Amino acid sequence: SYTTDTKSREENKKTLENLYSLSVDITKIRRVKEWVLLQDVAYVKEIAGILQEMGADETTVANIIEHCPEAILHTPAEINSQRALWQLVCQNEKQLIKLIEQFPESFFTTEYQQNQKANILFFQELGLKNNIITRFLTSASSIFYNPVEKNKNVIETLQRNYLNLGGSEANMKIWILKLLSQNPFILLNTSTTIEENLEFLQKNDFTDQEVLQLLSKLKGFIFQLNSITMQKSILFSKNIFKCSDQELKQLVLKCPALLYYSVPVLEERLEGLLKEGISIAQIRETPMVLELTTQIVQYRIKKLSALGYDIKSGNLESLNGTKKDFEVTYGKIQSKKERPIFNPVAPLHIED
């Protein structure tokens, strides 16, 4: 706990001298986290020394401190513990220093070291590869702050429900690891949320197999939902597409976005498509187009139109998919357009 009352205090001269000696841009720190410079105790030289031991050059050290000035307020013991912890999943110190430079805040959050260690070991036991765990440490660090029992509880709930819905024991491990890799933040949910959302789908007549299918397609988003928003989204889609419960179920299975996007988001995306001259019937045929933002749809329509492709008269499949999927589709349409009508090297069959 550091004091952030800056009014009556002066910057620590020793801290400033040590930072100058490391070529750190102090104006950057003053602009963002001046309170760091006011602390009575700072470990500038020690932290720089540990980073240099790991292979960081002067520029890298300065960079790290400028981006995460509170690094210098941690004791060398805390940082060495964190270093040992991250080495459990890093190939070598070169990779570790690269990660610290890219994600200094994640590395210098040392308050949860016991939880971090227990969770790293749990994820390794579960079968997650070290490169996935390092990705979690840097981009989903909050999941490591949970006590390991909490994360185990969520995983056990997922495993139990997977088997209850008819999933096989053989596929369960792959399914869990894939789900976690796609969306580690599912661990921030409670087991109760998972149970409630699955119950909601079953009450809406989705069979066990269909719920299982949705679980895989939703990449864990289902655990960030609640029954009220899902109910509203389902009613909205039913009214827009004028379909029966059974037809709506098929649309949701095709496009789970109808379940996890809120009504305002669905409204905005529908409006964007209708403005481009696309009909409700076309959207109903290819609902996955609602997974795309209005800006992406406009950009893709513009690119296809430049090739003379009329989206209003065709189906919407060409708009779908990831950026990579779209580029492949676009390339096919482009090469089809550029292909000569006849093959100039083929022999001509002329009747005598």
Side-chain angles (χ1 to χ4, degrees), residues 160-169 208-209 212:
R160 188 173 63 251
N161 279 292
Y162 181 82
L163 294 174
N164 289 347
L165 291 165
S168 72
E169 192 88 51
D208 286 357
Q209 200 179 350
L212 201 56

Side-chain angles (χ1 to χ4, degrees), residues 65-270:
I65 294 172
E66 282 164 16
H67 283 93
C68 184
E70 56 269 44
I72 62 171
L73 302 178
H74 290 288
T75 66
E78 284 173 332
I79 298 313
N80 277 321
S81 293
Q82 195 73 338
R83 175 184 178 179
L85 203 57
W86 283 46
Q87 279 175 324
L88 293 172
V89 286
C90 283
Q91 294 165 350
N92 48 44
E93 296 213 308
K94 191 181 173 186
Q95 187 202 7
L96 177 53
I97 206 71
K98 203 174 171 186
L99 287 175
I100 296 170
E101 191 178 10
Q102 285 177 297
F103 307 95
E105 284 86 1
S106 298
F107 181 77
F108 290 104
T109 301
T110 62
E111 294 91 321
Y112 306 93
Q113 279 180 340
Q114 275 185 311
N115 286 355
Q116 281 186 333
K117 185 173 184 178
N119 279 308
I120 286 172
L121 297 174
F122 167 58
F123 291 142
Q124 286 176 328
E125 276 168 34
L126 206 57
L128 275 173
K129 292 197 169 86
N130 282 344
N131 64 329
I132 302 284
I133 301 173
T134 51
R135 202 182 80 211
F136 289 178
L137 276 169
T138 53
S139 55
S141 51
S142 52
I143 67 170
F144 291 88
Y145 308 157
N146 283 340
V148 72
E149 292 72 28
K150 156 88 170 64
N151 287 340
K152 275 184 179 171
N153 194 2
V154 173
I155 295 293
E156 281 162 11
T157 305
L158 285 168
Q159 290 171 326
R160 188 173 63 251
N161 279 292
Y162 181 82
L163 294 174
N164 289 347
L165 291 165
S168 72
E169 192 88 51
N171 292 334
M172 184 176 69
K173 186 181 173 180
I174 298 163
W175 180 78
I176 286 281
L177 295 181
K178 193 177 175 187
L179 195 61
L180 265 179
S181 306
Q182 289 170 328
N183 188 0
F185 296 105
I186 59 172
L187 293 171
L188 298 180
N189 297 293
T190 64
S191 305
T192 318
T193 310
I194 297 171
E195 304 280 11
E196 282 171 0
N197 288 337
L198 293 178
E199 208 176 290
F200 170 82
L201 291 173
Q202 285 165 322
K203 276 181 185 169
N204 276 271
D205 295 329
F206 284 92
T207 65
D208 286 357
Q209 200 179 350
E210 287 166 345
V211 174
L212 201 56
Q213 195 183 326
L214 274 174
L215 278 186
S216 303
K217 277 192 172 184
L218 283 164
K219 300 176 185 172
F221 285 119
I222 190 161
F223 308 123
Q224 291 164 12
L225 298 171
N226 65 65
S227 53
I228 297 164
T229 53
M230 284 195 279
Q231 188 63 54
K232 284 179 181 171
S233 298
I234 281 179
L235 282 172
F236 173 77
S237 300
K238 196 175 176 184
N239 290 335
I240 287 292
F241 296 119
K242 298 184 171 41
C243 54
S244 67
D245 289 348
Q246 192 53 38
E247 287 167 333
L248 180 67
K249 213 167 71 158
Q250 293 314 310
L251 284 176
V252 169
L253 288 168
K254 243 187 189 180
C255 174
L258 295 174
L259 202 61
Y260 64 77
Y261 283 136
S262 66
V263 171
V265 171
L266 291 172
E267 268 177 333
E268 186 211 335
R269 293 188 178 185
L270 267 165

